[in-house]
Amino acid sequence: QVQLVESGGGSVQAGGSLRLSCRASGRTLSGYAMGWFRQAPGKEREFVTRIAWNSGNTYYADSVKGRFAISRDNARNTVYLQMNSLKPEDTAVYYCAAGPFFTSNFGRPLSADGMDSWGKGTQVTVSS
């Protein structure tokens, strides 16, 4: 099983930037994808972005495309989420997640139901 620990959440004004980190341990990430979901009060958890560990293939939700960037550090087993041009509607608890990834997943987002491991979440608050 993969253990995930997030960090980097905080409060920022609209237009600002934050970088989230998620460190994985307990298992090699080969054959896995790591990604980010978010959940705002009163709303369902939604997919934000993901990266396939082996290939680096990325996928973004339309709502964050062009503003957010996901990346990985193989040596540190860490995935990053660089969030730029933040908007108030980005306010949510952000969760790191990991799950198996296969070729059929290329060009597709992650399903929350398919994730093996979840971090505890980190709060991101964007004020106008």
Side-chain angles (χ1 to χ4, degrees):
Q1 196 82 345
V2 179
Q3 292 82 49
L4 305 174
V5 179
E6 304 114 325
S7 62
S11 182
V12 66
Q13 290 188 327
S17 298
L18 285 172
R19 189 180 77 158
L20 307 183
S21 299
C22 177
R23 187 180 72 254
S25 62
R27 187 196 186 280
T28 177
L29 294 174
S30 178
Y32 262 59
M34 293 184 65
W36 295 91
F37 294 75
R38 66 187 182 186
Q39 187 168 22
K43 296 184 178 180
E44 295 184 354
R45 189 170 299 187
E46 66 172 342
F47 168 80
V48 178
T49 183
R50 61 95 175 125
I51 186 166
W53 200 256
N54 289 5
S55 68
N57 176 261
T58 59
Y59 191 93
Y60 297 89
D62 288 342
S63 59
V64 306
K65 191 175 298 183
R67 300 187 298 119
F68 291 11
I70 189 170
S71 62
R72 74 204 194 285
D73 186 324
N74 294 326
R76 294 180 171 86
N77 277 359
T78 299
V79 65
Y80 303 97
L81 180 62
Q82 180 66 47
M83 303 184 292
N84 299 323
S85 301
L86 283 162
K87 304 175 180 179
E89 52 262 44
D90 295 318
T91 296
V93 177
Y94 283 70
Y95 296 92
C96 181
F101 190 87
F102 302 98
T103 56
S104 61
N105 297 122
F106 277 83
R108 297 170 179 262
L110 295 179
S111 171
D113 292 340
M115 299 297 97
D116 291 338
S117 303
W118 292 88
K120 68 183 189 314
T122 185
Q123 177 71 47
V124 172
T125 302
V126 184
S127 59
S128 59

